[in-house]
Amino acid sequence: MAKEARKPEELVSDPASVEMIIKSQNDCIETCFTRADAQGASCKFGTQGVCCKICHMGPCRITPKSPRGACGADADTIVARNFLREVVGGTAAHSDHGRHLVLRFKKIAEGKEPDYKITDVKALHRIAGKYGIKTQGREVNDIALELANIFISEFTSQEEALKTLDQAPEKTHAVWKNEKIEPFGIDRMVVESMHRTHMGVDHDYRNLLDMAFRTSLADGWGGSQIATQISDIMFGTPEPIRSNANLGVLEEKKVNIIVHGHEPALSEMLAAAVYDPEIKEYAKSAGAEGVNLAGLCCTANEILMRRGISVAGNFLQQELAIITGAVEMMVVDVQCVMPSLPEVAKSYHTKIVSTTDIAKTIGAIHMEFDEDHAYDSAKNLIKMAIDNFKNRDPKKVQIPKFKQPLIAGFSVEAIRYMLGGEFRASFRPLNDAIIQGRIRGVCGIVGCNNIKTKTDSYINTITKELIKRNVLILKTGCAAQASAKAGQLTPEAALEGAGQGLREVCETVGIPPVLHMGSCVDNTRILEAATEIVYEGGLGDCIAKVPAVGVAPEWMSEKAVAIGCYFVASGVDVILGQPFHISGSENVTNYLGDEARKRFGGGFIYIPDPMEAVEKIMSLIEDAREKLGINKKTERKLLDMKDRRAI
Ligand code: MSK
């Protein structure tokens, strides 16, 4: 039965989205919000994870009367198999993103892609050094080619542990070895998981779930890390940068183009081409004041972090952006793109353009991105959008006035620099602040929006409450954009709400208490930051000992399942605002929760209420502090110059 339709204010937190939902109702447009209500209550068997459609003797479902499927699989096996397949989906998405980038990177190194260059040679040297590649006296392209080949072999290696795992603290890595979840090549992990979950193969829920952790490590410390590192080398390591977020970034007198998805290769080219004098002239001749490029979801995060391009919105705003009636073109690449976009666009003039052969949508215009002529390809797309400006119907245009300023661009390099300066760049001041108790700990708040919960509400509630309690927040993905829309990503606005200790540190260093670290693949930056904290000393010898917690408040995608698993396997407790589909098996629930905590130092905890989540996060952080012995009251000492030099 369809659910009763919810009011706009019950669906979303920010006023721009409320305004656009009302407009969608007036314009008679169906959106994800109306479709979700029309779906009615979710299927009970799917929600519990006890529906098995792996073979065609079924689908079977587990009930008290029929506790086994036709083949004999019980709830534990079925739930665990379904869970592993979700991790595989997430790992494949992140890692294929990484693969596309590394293949392009290789071509650049071979001189085959003249429109791209290696922007950040310092990053190339830094990252090549991590893999033992000699850099001194060598040509940039030589180093790049050697690194590209190492990364490509990370996908294909058969019986060798991933080299990227060596980026983790030694003790954390040792846990993976002891627990036998050290992944081999990324592609092998994905294929083997699909084999194991085929009918009649792996039936032990513990063995299946260990494969889920193992595969997720191939994502977090493998494919995703490769994607982040290659993006930094190709397009630049992010540094703090100002911008704005929410639908109010769209401009009435300009041609609005929105990029949406995840991969930065095309959006980077578009971001460069909008400043081309020829494009500026072309826009003027079409009667526009220029071209305004903005982003959605993680493609937005990629070009926000490096170029300060505005964010039009996060995941559940993709249809709402079209409903403004002011978007000439939405250019989509991969992941998190709703198939409904061309349908919504039919009522306006927006052109939806898909750009990769692995992601096509009925009703979208497909224009394959020509890598060999990337800049011209980008210019052609922009011209097509400009040509569409004349089709805009002013009567349908309504751009919400709401946007918020923000600062993004907090790569680990940037944080290190902010903390220590050019010559003493280090995490030492952060470790010291945690040891002294001015900062109680660190919380990574990541992931999507989910139609089941009021958009951004859980994310923003816990963020606000945790900074008040002196917890430094690291953010990525749509969760970071939620904070941006709420004005939490500026030092000024957020510091008003931060606790005294955190505020002092942030004011001294000049950082906001909520740090935007990038897109979903950039969750690896959070792992890298945790590793820096370990190596800096004083907060334990592995990630599990650091007073740090992860939260996925409003997650919805398979990628989030994989991310959660690699955080847990790395020793971080992960709080979920939305449950996994595992409640049909108590054994699976325990294995991912308490059992995982005993083995890795972190486990999953589902907490639907944000304030309860805050209490749990604080108690986990305080427990970790107790274990480290840093909760003893120490007299606060003001440092003089001599002390500082000693540090
Ligand atoms: S875009 S995976 S909705 S964070 Fe990365 Fe947002 Fe989640 Fe997609």
Tab-separated table of all heavy atoms in Angstrom, residues 261-262 297-298 301 315 335-336 447-449 476-479 481 519-520 556-557 559-560, ligand 1:
chain	number	residue	atom	x	y	z
A	261	GLY	N	28.004	12.823	-11.097
A	261	GLY	CA	28.551	11.475	-11.132
A	261	GLY	C	29.780	11.397	-10.239
A	261	GLY	O	29.742	11.885	-9.102
A	262	HIS	N	30.881	10.832	-10.781
A	262	HIS	CA	32.055	10.624	-9.931
A	262	HIS	C	33.420	10.858	-10.564
A	262	HIS	O	34.359	11.213	-9.871
A	262	HIS	CB	32.011	9.206	-9.340
A	262	HIS	CG	31.042	9.118	-8.214
A	262	HIS	ND1	29.695	9.061	-8.420
A	262	HIS	CD2	31.227	9.119	-6.880
A	262	HIS	CE1	29.075	9.029	-7.256
A	262	HIS	NE2	29.980	9.060	-6.306
A	297	CYS	N	26.747	15.734	-6.422
A	297	CYS	CA	27.346	14.509	-5.902
A	297	CYS	C	28.876	14.593	-5.950
A	297	CYS	O	29.446	15.650	-5.727
A	297	CYS	CB	26.835	13.284	-6.642
A	297	CYS	SG	25.172	12.831	-6.154
A	298	CYS	N	29.530	13.489	-6.296
A	298	CYS	CA	30.987	13.473	-6.116
A	298	CYS	C	31.772	14.056	-7.280
A	298	CYS	O	32.917	14.461	-7.102
A	298	CYS	CB	31.454	12.075	-5.764
A	298	CYS	SG	31.062	11.721	-4.039
A	301	ASN	N	32.325	17.203	-5.908
A	301	ASN	CA	33.393	17.240	-4.903
A	301	ASN	C	34.777	17.274	-5.546
A	301	ASN	O	35.684	17.935	-5.053
A	301	ASN	CB	33.279	16.024	-3.971
A	301	ASN	CG	32.138	16.192	-2.980
A	301	ASN	OD1	31.836	17.318	-2.562
A	301	ASN	ND2	31.486	15.110	-2.608
A	315	PHE	N	23.085	14.217	-3.403
A	315	PHE	CA	22.406	13.149	-4.143
A	315	PHE	C	20.908	13.384	-4.389
A	315	PHE	O	20.438	13.297	-5.522
A	315	PHE	CB	22.639	11.828	-3.388
A	315	PHE	CG	21.923	10.648	-3.950
A	315	PHE	CD1	22.166	10.228	-5.249
A	315	PHE	CD2	20.997	9.952	-3.189
A	315	PHE	CE1	21.506	9.118	-5.771
A	315	PHE	CE2	20.333	8.857	-3.698
A	315	PHE	CZ	20.586	8.440	-4.994
A	335	GLN	N	27.790	6.421	-11.639
A	335	GLN	CA	27.383	6.228	-10.233
A	335	GLN	C	26.499	7.351	-9.692
A	335	GLN	O	26.801	8.527	-9.861
A	335	GLN	CB	28.607	6.068	-9.315
A	335	GLN	CG	29.525	4.928	-9.706
A	335	GLN	CD	30.877	5.002	-9.039
A	335	GLN	OE1	31.042	5.612	-8.003
A	335	GLN	NE2	31.853	4.361	-9.649
A	336	CYS	N	25.435	6.909	-9.010
A	336	CYS	CA	24.511	7.796	-8.270
A	336	CYS	C	23.682	8.700	-9.186
A	336	CYS	O	23.087	9.680	-8.724
A	336	CYS	CB	25.250	8.620	-7.220
A	336	CYS	SG	26.136	7.570	-6.062
A	447	GLY	N	29.203	9.468	3.427
A	447	GLY	CA	28.102	8.772	2.763
A	447	GLY	C	27.048	9.690	2.172
A	447	GLY	O	27.212	10.902	2.080
A	448	CYS	N	25.933	9.051	1.853
A	448	CYS	CA	24.931	9.610	0.951
A	448	CYS	C	23.796	10.308	1.691
A	448	CYS	O	23.894	10.604	2.874
A	448	CYS	CB	24.330	8.456	0.154
A	448	CYS	SG	25.463	7.082	-0.137
A	449	ASN	N	22.722	10.551	0.924
A	449	ASN	CA	21.398	10.844	1.490
A	449	ASN	C	20.519	9.651	1.163
A	449	ASN	O	20.748	8.939	0.192
A	449	ASN	CB	20.772	12.084	0.855
A	449	ASN	CG	21.567	13.333	1.140
A	449	ASN	OD1	21.942	14.051	0.226
A	449	ASN	ND2	21.833	13.595	2.392
A	476	THR	N	33.387	13.480	3.812
A	476	THR	CA	33.499	13.261	2.368
A	476	THR	C	32.092	13.125	1.781
A	476	THR	O	31.103	13.076	2.511
A	476	THR	CB	34.251	11.950	2.049
A	476	THR	OG1	33.522	10.880	2.646
A	476	THR	CG2	35.675	11.957	2.523
A	477	GLY	N	32.038	13.022	0.457
A	477	GLY	CA	30.808	12.672	-0.263
A	477	GLY	C	29.660	13.634	-0.039
A	477	GLY	O	29.849	14.836	0.184
A	478	CYS	N	28.452	13.087	-0.094
A	478	CYS	CA	27.259	13.921	0.050
A	478	CYS	C	27.092	14.417	1.482
A	478	CYS	O	26.431	15.426	1.716
A	478	CYS	CB	26.034	13.138	-0.407
A	478	CYS	SG	26.063	12.879	-2.193
A	479	ALA	N	27.696	13.707	2.437
A	479	ALA	CA	27.636	14.169	3.827
A	479	ALA	C	28.369	15.505	3.968
A	479	ALA	O	27.933	16.389	4.714
A	479	ALA	CB	28.244	13.126	4.759
A	481	GLN	N	28.655	17.705	1.607
A	481	GLN	CA	27.820	18.722	0.955
A	481	GLN	C	26.648	19.118	1.849
A	481	GLN	O	26.192	20.268	1.817
A	481	GLN	CB	27.340	18.194	-0.395
A	481	GLN	CG	28.513	17.975	-1.356
A	481	GLN	CD	28.136	17.165	-2.587
A	481	GLN	OE1	27.148	16.439	-2.594
A	481	GLN	NE2	28.946	17.284	-3.627
A	519	SER	N	35.589	13.327	-2.290
A	519	SER	CA	34.484	12.506	-2.801
A	519	SER	C	34.456	11.150	-2.095
A	519	SER	O	35.209	10.923	-1.152
A	519	SER	CB	34.696	12.300	-4.302
A	519	SER	OG	35.899	11.584	-4.491
A	520	CYS	N	33.586	10.231	-2.582
A	520	CYS	CA	33.512	8.928	-1.885
A	520	CYS	C	34.805	8.136	-2.013
A	520	CYS	O	35.190	7.464	-1.062
A	520	CYS	CB	32.365	8.043	-2.339
A	520	CYS	SG	31.162	8.649	-3.444
A	556	MET	N	23.103	4.987	1.375
A	556	MET	CA	22.152	4.207	0.573
A	556	MET	C	22.840	3.291	-0.434
A	556	MET	O	22.232	2.379	-0.942
A	556	MET	CB	21.156	5.136	-0.147
A	556	MET	CG	21.742	6.092	-1.164
A	556	MET	SD	21.932	5.365	-2.812
A	556	MET	CE	23.213	6.399	-3.512
A	557	SER	N	24.118	3.523	-0.771
A	557	SER	CA	24.670	2.795	-1.924
A	557	SER	C	25.547	1.610	-1.501
A	557	SER	O	26.022	1.543	-0.368
A	557	SER	CB	25.472	3.751	-2.821
A	557	SER	OG	26.828	3.718	-2.476
A	559	LYS	N	28.417	1.143	-2.439
A	559	LYS	CA	29.764	1.663	-2.153
A	559	LYS	C	29.916	1.943	-0.663
A	559	LYS	O	30.973	1.725	-0.076
A	559	LYS	CB	30.016	2.945	-2.954
A	559	LYS	CG	30.192	2.714	-4.438
A	559	LYS	CD	30.453	4.009	-5.176
A	559	LYS	CE	29.222	4.871	-5.245
A	559	LYS	NZ	29.455	6.191	-5.831
A	560	ALA	N	28.828	2.428	-0.054
A	560	ALA	CA	28.888	2.730	1.383
A	560	ALA	C	29.068	1.449	2.203
A	560	ALA	O	29.709	1.465	3.261
A	560	ALA	CB	27.630	3.473	1.808
B	1	MSK	S1	27.827	10.607	-4.499
B	1	MSK	S2	27.748	7.142	-3.173
B	1	MSK	S3	25.245	9.399	-2.966
B	1	MSK	S4	28.052	9.928	-1.060
B	1	MSK	FE1	29.582	9.841	-4.114
B	1	MSK	FE2	26.813	10.792	-2.635
B	1	MSK	FE3	26.722	8.336	-1.760
B	1	MSK	FE4	26.734	8.757	-4.296
